[in-house]
């Protein structure tokens, strides 16, 4: 019991230190811009745009809230690796007996909480801006959708973190993947409206089914079990791939002694 | 001559560094492609129009210019060369100006590539002539906006993370995605502070006003960057706060 408590304490300390270092709390401009201004700006930008295009705003506002959650997690977890490298602690972390995946998941916890806050703020503020109201019960129905999205994005974030271990360019991966999610999952604009065909790509991405479930919950108050299961399956595949990639990158670093391969 | 030399050194360095990080290049080209696909939503049947091409070119150039300029300042700090530049006769402003210029060139190349990719989808180029004028005038202004942001992060080292939130926010007011009239009423007054790439709103009168706004932004950006360079040199605060 005492060991479990000590372990939980270690996890909390690692998570807090990593999180505090990320946004330089002495000057919280970065936090306000990334977690508050950006999600609201994205929601307003795409909300107005899609409203002009289709006459319907609310599905896009839900989609941008989902993207805010995903973005906070993907960038946060990748930056956790980049900061360890910048502070010179990545080598020590790698050399420590802690399991790399466990250490990374500990660092991911605050970003999940942070992502949920960003999503709530994005949705709340954009609903105020666009004068949209939703029955309170619908938000409860949406909780499983957001939970499953957070699960699948954790898997994708592990993949991106593996890339951040392999490469010194820690922002390129999340930037590109965020763009792919924005365009190809239907979060902002229905895939059928895009001027190019994406074939089977959307089905392979996290968020495609999850954002559909979130929209179904917040627009119709219905729990879309099929979409939730699909998102869960995709998330599990990404989690397996991400854990494997992290373990591979970790082994490569230990064997070669290099903390970046490019 | 000394000024040109410092500007050129900054520009050449920036292009070399960009070549060393190809993911940054890919990322800067993919942003306009991704946003361009969203902008062209619903255009599968009717085709891509002139306004959409102007908006995509704008996103390519300004997006690349802004992101790479901010990265340039962060790099100079991390390399320890910003402090050294501050003590040289050229100061920080000229080499950074060179790097911003190189980032703009990089953005123009990205725009050309993206527009070539989109060419098969284009159905009408009706407003392209006027669109080009609108784009050039707007980009002059947004170069000023970029310089203002760069001078902010030169003065405040922890502000660089803040730029992420500014891109979409300013994009909202640029007219690239939506006309000013479509914005929620409370946001419209802010939009008038920024040059617009909305071709439908362009006439001789509005273009003259846009030009004034753009030149004002460029002048303000240059003044702010020079001020930041002097401040850092005299007080060293840019390395502390």
């Amino acid at each position: 019991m005492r060991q479990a408590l000590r372990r939980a304490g270690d996890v909390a300390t690692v998570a807090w230190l990593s999180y505090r270092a990320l946004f330089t709390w002495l000057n919280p401009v970065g936090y306000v811009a990334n977690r508050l201004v950006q999600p609201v700006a994205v929601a307003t930008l795409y909300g107005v745009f899609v409203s002009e295009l289709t006459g319907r705003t609310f599905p896009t506002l839900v989609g941008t809230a989902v993207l805010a959650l995903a973005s906070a997690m993907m960038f946060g977890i990748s930056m956790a690796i980049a900061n360890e490298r910048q502070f010179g602690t990545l080598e020590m972390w790698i050399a420590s007996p802690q399991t790399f995946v466990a250490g990374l998941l500990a660092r991911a916890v605050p970003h999940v909480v942070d992502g949920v806050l960003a999503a709530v703020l994005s949705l709340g503020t954009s609903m105020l801006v666009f004068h949209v109201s939703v029955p309170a019960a619908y938000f409860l129905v949406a909780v499983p959708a957001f939970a499953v999205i957070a699960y699948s994005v954790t898997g994708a974030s592990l993949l991106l973190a593996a890339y951040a271990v392999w490469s010194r360019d820690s922002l390129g991966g999340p930037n590109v993947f965020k763009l792919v999610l924005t365009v190809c999952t239907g979060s902002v604009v229905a895939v059928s409206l895009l001027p190019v065909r994406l074939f089977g790509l959307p089905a392979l991405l996290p968020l495609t089914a999850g954002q559909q479930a979130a929209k179904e919950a917040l627009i119709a108050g219905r729990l879309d079990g099929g979409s939730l299961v699909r998102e869960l399956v995709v998330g599990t595949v990404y989690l397996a791939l991400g854990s494997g990639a992290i373990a591979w990158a970790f082994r490569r670093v230990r064997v070669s002694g290099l903390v970046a391969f490019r | 001559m000394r000024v040109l030399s410092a500007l050129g050194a900054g520009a050449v360095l920036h292009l070399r560094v960009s070549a060393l990080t190809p993911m940054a290049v890919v990322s800067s080209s993919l942003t306009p492609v991704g946003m361009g696909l969203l902008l062209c939503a619903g255009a599968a049947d009717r085709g891509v129009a002139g306004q959409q091409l102007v908006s995509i070119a704008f996103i390519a150039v300004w997006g690349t210019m802004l992101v790479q300029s901010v990265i340039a300042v962060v790099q100079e700090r991390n390399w320890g060369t910003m402090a050294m530049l501050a003590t040289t006769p050229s100061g920080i402003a000229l080499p950074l100006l060179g790097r911003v210029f190189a980032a703009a060139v990089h953005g123009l190349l990205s725009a050309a590539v993206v527009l070539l990719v989109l060419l098969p989808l284009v159905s009408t180029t009706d407003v392209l002539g006027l669109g080009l004028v609108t784009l050039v005038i707007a980009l002059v202004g947004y170069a000023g906006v970029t310089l203002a942001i760069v001078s902010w992060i030169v003065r405040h080292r922890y502000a660089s993370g803040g730029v992420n939130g500014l891109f979409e926010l300013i994009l909202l007011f640029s007219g690239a995605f939506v006309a000013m009239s479509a914005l929620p009423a409370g946001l419209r007054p802010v939009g008038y502070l920024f040059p617009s790439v909305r071709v439908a709103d362009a006439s001789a009168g509005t273009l003259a006003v846009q030009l004034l706004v753009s030149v004002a932004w460029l002048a303000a950006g240059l003044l702010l960057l020079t001020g930041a360079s002097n401040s850092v040199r005299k007080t060293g605060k840019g390395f502390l706060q």
Side-chain angles (χ1 to χ4, degrees), chain A residues 179-210:
Chain A
L179 197 67
V180 170
L181 294 182
T182 305
V183 177
C184 304
T185 59
S187 297
V188 175
V189 171
V191 173
S192 59
L193 285 176
L194 294 179
V196 290
R197 286 185 66 191
L198 299 175
F199 301 98
L201 178 65
L204 302 176
L205 295 170
L207 258 63
T208 302

PDB file of all heavy atoms in Angstrom, chain A residues 179-210:
ATOM      1  N   LEU A 179      -3.111  19.021 -38.666  1.00  0.00           N
ATOM      2  CA  LEU A 179      -3.685  19.470 -39.939  1.00  0.00           C
ATOM      3  C   LEU A 179      -4.468  18.337 -40.612  1.00  0.00           C
ATOM      4  O   LEU A 179      -5.570  18.548 -41.127  1.00  0.00           O
ATOM      5  CB  LEU A 179      -2.547  19.941 -40.843  1.00  0.00           C
ATOM      6  CG  LEU A 179      -2.945  20.805 -42.019  1.00  0.00           C
ATOM      7  CD1 LEU A 179      -3.479  22.134 -41.543  1.00  0.00           C
ATOM      8  CD2 LEU A 179      -1.759  21.016 -42.936  1.00  0.00           C
ATOM      9  N   VAL A 180      -3.882  17.134 -40.575  1.00  0.00           N
ATOM     10  CA  VAL A 180      -4.562  15.973 -41.169  1.00  0.00           C
ATOM     11  C   VAL A 180      -5.892  15.727 -40.451  1.00  0.00           C
ATOM     12  O   VAL A 180      -6.931  15.500 -41.088  1.00  0.00           O
ATOM     13  CB  VAL A 180      -3.649  14.719 -41.085  1.00  0.00           C
ATOM     14  CG1 VAL A 180      -4.404  13.464 -41.472  1.00  0.00           C
ATOM     15  CG2 VAL A 180      -2.437  14.888 -41.991  1.00  0.00           C
ATOM     16  N   LEU A 181      -5.872  15.814 -39.120  1.00  0.00           N
ATOM     17  CA  LEU A 181      -7.118  15.606 -38.356  1.00  0.00           C
ATOM     18  C   LEU A 181      -8.140  16.698 -38.676  1.00  0.00           C
ATOM     19  O   LEU A 181      -9.341  16.434 -38.794  1.00  0.00           O
ATOM     20  CB  LEU A 181      -6.837  15.592 -36.850  1.00  0.00           C
ATOM     21  CG  LEU A 181      -5.985  14.437 -36.300  1.00  0.00           C
ATOM     22  CD1 LEU A 181      -5.848  14.550 -34.785  1.00  0.00           C
ATOM     23  CD2 LEU A 181      -6.573  13.084 -36.658  1.00  0.00           C
ATOM     24  N   THR A 182      -7.661  17.934 -38.817  1.00  0.00           N
ATOM     25  CA  THR A 182      -8.571  19.055 -39.089  1.00  0.00           C
ATOM     26  C   THR A 182      -9.288  18.877 -40.424  1.00  0.00           C
ATOM     27  O   THR A 182     -10.482  19.123 -40.550  1.00  0.00           O
ATOM     28  CB  THR A 182      -7.785  20.396 -39.101  1.00  0.00           C
ATOM     29  OG1 THR A 182      -7.089  20.515 -37.869  1.00  0.00           O
ATOM     30  CG2 THR A 182      -8.698  21.584 -39.277  1.00  0.00           C
ATOM     31  N   VAL A 183      -8.516  18.411 -41.421  1.00  0.00           N
ATOM     32  CA  VAL A 183      -9.073  18.338 -42.785  1.00  0.00           C
ATOM     33  C   VAL A 183      -9.813  17.022 -43.025  1.00  0.00           C
ATOM     34  O   VAL A 183     -10.890  17.020 -43.627  1.00  0.00           O
ATOM     35  CB  VAL A 183      -7.936  18.510 -43.833  1.00  0.00           C
ATOM     36  CG1 VAL A 183      -8.474  18.361 -45.248  1.00  0.00           C
ATOM     37  CG2 VAL A 183      -7.271  19.865 -43.669  1.00  0.00           C
ATOM     38  N   CYS A 184      -9.234  15.918 -42.550  1.00  0.00           N
ATOM     39  CA  CYS A 184      -9.675  14.597 -43.038  1.00  0.00           C
ATOM     40  C   CYS A 184     -10.653  13.854 -42.121  1.00  0.00           C
ATOM     41  O   CYS A 184     -11.084  12.754 -42.477  1.00  0.00           O
ATOM     42  CB  CYS A 184      -8.462  13.703 -43.285  1.00  0.00           C
ATOM     43  SG  CYS A 184      -7.284  14.418 -44.409  1.00  0.00           S
ATOM     44  N   THR A 185     -10.964  14.389 -40.947  1.00  0.00           N
ATOM     45  CA  THR A 185     -11.841  13.624 -40.046  1.00  0.00           C
ATOM     46  C   THR A 185     -13.291  14.100 -40.095  1.00  0.00           C
ATOM     47  O   THR A 185     -14.156  13.493 -39.472  1.00  0.00           O
ATOM     48  CB  THR A 185     -11.350  13.727 -38.591  1.00  0.00           C
ATOM     49  OG1 THR A 185     -11.344  15.110 -38.212  1.00  0.00           O
ATOM     50  CG2 THR A 185      -9.966  13.137 -38.420  1.00  0.00           C
ATOM     51  N   GLY A 186     -13.537  15.208 -40.785  1.00  0.00           N
ATOM     52  CA  GLY A 186     -14.886  15.747 -40.835  1.00  0.00           C
ATOM     53  C   GLY A 186     -15.217  16.601 -39.625  1.00  0.00           C
ATOM     54  O   GLY A 186     -16.368  16.999 -39.439  1.00  0.00           O
ATOM     55  N   SER A 187     -14.217  16.903 -38.790  1.00  0.00           N
ATOM     56  CA  SER A 187     -14.473  17.713 -37.595  1.00  0.00           C
ATOM     57  C   SER A 187     -14.947  19.112 -37.970  1.00  0.00           C
ATOM     58  O   SER A 187     -15.843  19.666 -37.339  1.00  0.00           O
ATOM     59  CB  SER A 187     -13.201  17.827 -36.743  1.00  0.00           C
ATOM     60  OG  SER A 187     -12.818  16.566 -36.285  1.00  0.00           O
ATOM     61  N   VAL A 188     -14.320  19.701 -39.003  1.00  0.00           N
ATOM     62  CA  VAL A 188     -14.660  21.073 -39.394  1.00  0.00           C
ATOM     63  C   VAL A 188     -15.686  21.068 -40.526  1.00  0.00           C
ATOM     64  O   VAL A 188     -16.747  21.687 -40.433  1.00  0.00           O
ATOM     65  CB  VAL A 188     -13.383  21.839 -39.819  1.00  0.00           C
ATOM     66  CG1 VAL A 188     -13.738  23.218 -40.344  1.00  0.00           C
ATOM     67  CG2 VAL A 188     -12.428  21.951 -38.650  1.00  0.00           C
ATOM     68  N   VAL A 189     -15.338  20.375 -41.601  1.00  0.00           N
ATOM     69  CA  VAL A 189     -16.200  20.314 -42.784  1.00  0.00           C
ATOM     70  C   VAL A 189     -16.423  18.842 -43.123  1.00  0.00           C
ATOM     71  O   VAL A 189     -15.474  18.045 -43.040  1.00  0.00           O
ATOM     72  CB  VAL A 189     -15.506  21.021 -43.982  1.00  0.00           C
ATOM     73  CG1 VAL A 189     -16.271  20.794 -45.263  1.00  0.00           C
ATOM     74  CG2 VAL A 189     -15.371  22.501 -43.723  1.00  0.00           C
ATOM     75  N   ALA A 190     -17.638  18.484 -43.504  1.00  0.00           N
ATOM     76  CA  ALA A 190     -17.914  17.089 -43.885  1.00  0.00           C
ATOM     77  C   ALA A 190     -16.963  16.656 -45.000  1.00  0.00           C
ATOM     78  O   ALA A 190     -16.718  17.427 -45.939  1.00  0.00           O
ATOM     79  CB  ALA A 190     -19.354  16.963 -44.350  1.00  0.00           C
ATOM     80  N   VAL A 191     -16.421  15.442 -44.863  1.00  0.00           N
ATOM     81  CA  VAL A 191     -15.437  14.956 -45.833  1.00  0.00           C
ATOM     82  C   VAL A 191     -16.009  14.967 -47.251  1.00  0.00           C
ATOM     83  O   VAL A 191     -15.297  15.222 -48.226  1.00  0.00           O
ATOM     84  CB  VAL A 191     -14.971  13.530 -45.428  1.00  0.00           C
ATOM     85  CG1 VAL A 191     -14.084  12.916 -46.500  1.00  0.00           C
ATOM     86  CG2 VAL A 191     -14.229  13.581 -44.103  1.00  0.00           C
ATOM     87  N   SER A 192     -17.324  14.741 -47.362  1.00  0.00           N
ATOM     88  CA  SER A 192     -17.952  14.696 -48.696  1.00  0.00           C
ATOM     89  C   SER A 192     -17.913  16.057 -49.394  1.00  0.00           C
ATOM     90  O   SER A 192     -18.063  16.133 -50.612  1.00  0.00           O
ATOM     91  CB  SER A 192     -19.390  14.228 -48.563  1.00  0.00           C
ATOM     92  OG  SER A 192     -20.086  15.115 -47.711  1.00  0.00           O
ATOM     93  N   LEU A 193     -17.717  17.132 -48.629  1.00  0.00           N
ATOM     94  CA  LEU A 193     -17.689  18.474 -49.239  1.00  0.00           C
ATOM     95  C   LEU A 193     -16.306  18.860 -49.762  1.00  0.00           C
ATOM     96  O   LEU A 193     -16.160  19.859 -50.473  1.00  0.00           O
ATOM     97  CB  LEU A 193     -18.143  19.525 -48.218  1.00  0.00           C
ATOM     98  CG  LEU A 193     -19.638  19.603 -47.907  1.00  0.00           C
ATOM     99  CD1 LEU A 193     -19.899  20.615 -46.804  1.00  0.00           C
ATOM    100  CD2 LEU A 193     -20.420  19.995 -49.153  1.00  0.00           C
ATOM    101  N   LEU A 194     -15.281  18.099 -49.371  1.00  0.00           N
ATOM    102  CA  LEU A 194     -13.920  18.454 -49.792  1.00  0.00           C
ATOM    103  C   LEU A 194     -13.772  18.265 -51.308  1.00  0.00           C
ATOM    104  O   LEU A 194     -14.419  17.392 -51.890  1.00  0.00           O
ATOM    105  CB  LEU A 194     -12.891  17.587 -49.061  1.00  0.00           C
ATOM    106  CG  LEU A 194     -12.785  17.800 -47.547  1.00  0.00           C
ATOM    107  CD1 LEU A 194     -11.749  16.870 -46.938  1.00  0.00           C
ATOM    108  CD2 LEU A 194     -12.439  19.243 -47.208  1.00  0.00           C
ATOM    109  N   PRO A 195     -12.912  19.066 -51.939  1.00  0.00           N
ATOM    110  CA  PRO A 195     -12.789  18.985 -53.397  1.00  0.00           C
ATOM    111  C   PRO A 195     -11.973  17.782 -53.874  1.00  0.00           C
ATOM    112  O   PRO A 195     -11.840  17.571 -55.064  1.00  0.00           O
ATOM    113  CB  PRO A 195     -12.072  20.296 -53.756  1.00  0.00           C
ATOM    114  CG  PRO A 195     -11.342  20.679 -52.537  1.00  0.00           C
ATOM    115  CD  PRO A 195     -12.105  20.165 -51.377  1.00  0.00           C
ATOM    116  N   VAL A 196     -11.404  17.017 -52.948  1.00  0.00           N
ATOM    117  CA  VAL A 196     -10.642  15.824 -53.346  1.00  0.00           C
ATOM    118  C   VAL A 196     -11.199  14.607 -52.619  1.00  0.00           C
ATOM    119  O   VAL A 196     -11.804  14.738 -51.550  1.00  0.00           O
ATOM    120  CB  VAL A 196      -9.131  15.966 -53.001  1.00  0.00           C
ATOM    121  CG1 VAL A 196      -8.472  16.986 -53.868  1.00  0.00           C
ATOM    122  CG2 VAL A 196      -8.953  16.301 -51.530  1.00  0.00           C
ATOM    123  N   ARG A 197     -11.001  13.433 -53.208  1.00  0.00           N
ATOM    124  CA  ARG A 197     -11.471  12.202 -52.560  1.00  0.00           C
ATOM    125  C   ARG A 197     -10.393  11.682 -51.621  1.00  0.00           C
ATOM    126  O   ARG A 197      -9.217  11.677 -51.957  1.00  0.00           O
ATOM    127  CB  ARG A 197     -11.795  11.136 -53.617  1.00  0.00           C
ATOM    128  CG  ARG A 197     -13.082  11.443 -54.368  1.00  0.00           C
ATOM    129  CD  ARG A 197     -13.419  10.318 -55.314  1.00  0.00           C
ATOM    130  NE  ARG A 197     -13.746   9.085 -54.598  1.00  0.00           N
ATOM    131  CZ  ARG A 197     -13.863   7.901 -55.204  1.00  0.00           C
ATOM    132  NH1 ARG A 197     -13.660   7.792 -56.493  1.00  0.00           N
ATOM    133  NH2 ARG A 197     -14.182   6.837 -54.507  1.00  0.00           N
ATOM    134  N   LEU A 198     -10.802  11.267 -50.422  1.00  0.00           N
ATOM    135  CA  LEU A 198      -9.819  10.803 -49.443  1.00  0.00           C
ATOM    136  C   LEU A 198      -9.808   9.276 -49.328  1.00  0.00           C
ATOM    137  O   LEU A 198      -9.062   8.722 -48.526  1.00  0.00           O
ATOM    138  CB  LEU A 198     -10.118  11.419 -48.070  1.00  0.00           C
ATOM    139  CG  LEU A 198     -10.051  12.944 -48.006  1.00  0.00           C
ATOM    140  CD1 LEU A 198     -10.489  13.447 -46.644  1.00  0.00           C
ATOM    141  CD2 LEU A 198      -8.644  13.446 -48.296  1.00  0.00           C
ATOM    142  N   PHE A 199     -10.651   8.622 -50.103  1.00  0.00           N
ATOM    143  CA  PHE A 199     -10.765   7.155 -50.092  1.00  0.00           C
ATOM    144  C   PHE A 199     -10.965   6.655 -48.652  1.00  0.00           C
ATOM    145  O   PHE A 199     -11.809   7.170 -47.957  1.00  0.00           O
ATOM    146  CB  PHE A 199      -9.559   6.528 -50.810  1.00  0.00           C
ATOM    147  CG  PHE A 199      -9.457   6.993 -52.236  1.00  0.00           C
ATOM    148  CD1 PHE A 199      -8.595   8.026 -52.593  1.00  0.00           C
ATOM    149  CD2 PHE A 199     -10.273   6.457 -53.219  1.00  0.00           C
ATOM    150  CE1 PHE A 199      -8.534   8.488 -53.896  1.00  0.00           C
ATOM    151  CE2 PHE A 199     -10.214   6.915 -54.535  1.00  0.00           C
ATOM    152  CZ  PHE A 199      -9.348   7.933 -54.873  1.00  0.00           C
ATOM    153  N   GLY A 200     -10.146   5.703 -48.187  1.00  0.00           N
ATOM    154  CA  GLY A 200     -10.409   5.129 -46.847  1.00  0.00           C
ATOM    155  C   GLY A 200      -9.697   5.838 -45.716  1.00  0.00           C
ATOM    156  O   GLY A 200      -9.799   5.423 -44.550  1.00  0.00           O
ATOM    157  N   LEU A 201      -8.980   6.937 -46.018  1.00  0.00           N
ATOM    158  CA  LEU A 201      -8.144   7.584 -44.993  1.00  0.00           C
ATOM    159  C   LEU A 201      -8.901   7.982 -43.718  1.00  0.00           C
ATOM    160  O   LEU A 201      -8.438   7.670 -42.613  1.00  0.00           O
ATOM    161  CB  LEU A 201      -7.415   8.793 -45.606  1.00  0.00           C
ATOM    162  CG  LEU A 201      -6.540   9.599 -44.647  1.00  0.00           C
ATOM    163  CD1 LEU A 201      -5.370   8.757 -44.136  1.00  0.00           C
ATOM    164  CD2 LEU A 201      -6.003  10.858 -45.320  1.00  0.00           C
ATOM    165  N   PRO A 202     -10.052   8.653 -43.824  1.00  0.00           N
ATOM    166  CA  PRO A 202     -10.727   9.085 -42.584  1.00  0.00           C
ATOM    167  C   PRO A 202     -10.987   7.939 -41.604  1.00  0.00           C
ATOM    168  O   PRO A 202     -10.854   8.126 -40.393  1.00  0.00           O
ATOM    169  CB  PRO A 202     -12.041   9.687 -43.092  1.00  0.00           C
ATOM    170  CG  PRO A 202     -11.730  10.144 -44.469  1.00  0.00           C
ATOM    171  CD  PRO A 202     -10.773   9.133 -45.018  1.00  0.00           C
ATOM    172  N   ALA A 203     -11.326   6.766 -42.113  1.00  0.00           N
ATOM    173  CA  ALA A 203     -11.635   5.644 -41.213  1.00  0.00           C
ATOM    174  C   ALA A 203     -10.416   5.192 -40.427  1.00  0.00           C
ATOM    175  O   ALA A 203     -10.551   4.573 -39.362  1.00  0.00           O
ATOM    176  CB  ALA A 203     -12.192   4.479 -42.016  1.00  0.00           C
ATOM    177  N   LEU A 204      -9.221   5.513 -40.922  1.00  0.00           N
ATOM    178  CA  LEU A 204      -7.995   5.082 -40.243  1.00  0.00           C
ATOM    179  C   LEU A 204      -7.522   6.091 -39.197  1.00  0.00           C
ATOM    180  O   LEU A 204      -6.538   5.846 -38.508  1.00  0.00           O
ATOM    181  CB  LEU A 204      -6.872   4.877 -41.271  1.00  0.00           C
ATOM    182  CG  LEU A 204      -7.132   3.867 -42.387  1.00  0.00           C
ATOM    183  CD1 LEU A 204      -5.982   3.846 -43.373  1.00  0.00           C
ATOM    184  CD2 LEU A 204      -7.334   2.472 -41.790  1.00  0.00           C
ATOM    185  N   LEU A 205      -8.204   7.225 -39.110  1.00  0.00           N
ATOM    186  CA  LEU A 205      -7.724   8.296 -38.233  1.00  0.00           C
ATOM    187  C   LEU A 205      -8.524   8.358 -36.937  1.00  0.00           C
ATOM    188  O   LEU A 205      -9.744   8.129 -36.941  1.00  0.00           O
ATOM    189  CB  LEU A 205      -7.839   9.649 -38.946  1.00  0.00           C
ATOM    190  CG  LEU A 205      -6.961   9.845 -40.165  1.00  0.00           C
ATOM    191  CD1 LEU A 205      -7.359  11.120 -40.904  1.00  0.00           C
ATOM    192  CD2 LEU A 205      -5.493   9.914 -39.756  1.00  0.00           C
ATOM    193  N   PRO A 206      -7.848   8.699 -35.812  1.00  0.00           N
ATOM    194  CA  PRO A 206      -8.616   8.972 -34.606  1.00  0.00           C
ATOM    195  C   PRO A 206      -9.460  10.221 -34.831  1.00  0.00           C
ATOM    196  O   PRO A 206      -9.119  11.043 -35.694  1.00  0.00           O
ATOM    197  CB  PRO A 206      -7.531   9.222 -33.537  1.00  0.00           C
ATOM    198  CG  PRO A 206      -6.282   9.464 -34.259  1.00  0.00           C
ATOM    199  CD  PRO A 206      -6.402   8.865 -35.619  1.00  0.00           C
ATOM    200  N   LEU A 207     -10.542  10.349 -34.112  1.00  0.00           N
ATOM    201  CA  LEU A 207     -11.453  11.513 -34.176  1.00  0.00           C
ATOM    202  C   LEU A 207     -12.575  11.354 -35.206  1.00  0.00           C
ATOM    203  O   LEU A 207     -13.639  11.938 -35.027  1.00  0.00           O
ATOM    204  CB  LEU A 207     -10.712  12.829 -34.499  1.00  0.00           C
ATOM    205  CG  LEU A 207     -10.441  13.786 -33.333  1.00  0.00           C
ATOM    206  CD1 LEU A 207      -9.526  13.112 -32.302  1.00  0.00           C
ATOM    207  CD2 LEU A 207      -9.795  15.066 -33.813  1.00  0.00           C
ATOM    208  N   THR A 208     -12.337  10.607 -36.296  1.00  0.00           N
ATOM    209  CA  THR A 208     -13.370  10.531 -37.338  1.00  0.00           C
ATOM    210  C   THR A 208     -14.683  10.023 -36.738  1.00  0.00           C
ATOM    211  O   THR A 208     -15.739  10.653 -36.889  1.00  0.00           O
ATOM    212  CB  THR A 208     -12.929   9.611 -38.491  1.00  0.00           C
ATOM    213  OG1 THR A 208     -11.718  10.124 -39.026  1.00  0.00           O
ATOM    214  CG2 THR A 208     -13.974   9.557 -39.590  1.00  0.00           C
ATOM    215  N   ALA A 209     -14.610   8.882 -36.038  1.00  0.00           N
ATOM    216  CA  ALA A 209     -15.831   8.338 -35.437  1.00  0.00           C
ATOM    217  C   ALA A 209     -16.170   9.085 -34.151  1.00  0.00           C
ATOM    218  O   ALA A 209     -17.342   9.340 -33.849  1.00  0.00           O
ATOM    219  CB  ALA A 209     -15.644   6.852 -35.155  1.00  0.00           C
ATOM    220  N   GLY A 210     -15.130   9.468 -33.399  1.00  0.00           N
ATOM    221  CA  GLY A 210     -15.347  10.125 -32.102  1.00  0.00           C
ATOM    222  C   GLY A 210     -16.069  11.457 -32.232  1.00  0.00           C
ATOM    223  O   GLY A 210     -16.993  11.755 -31.473  1.00  0.00           O
TER     224      GLY A 210
END
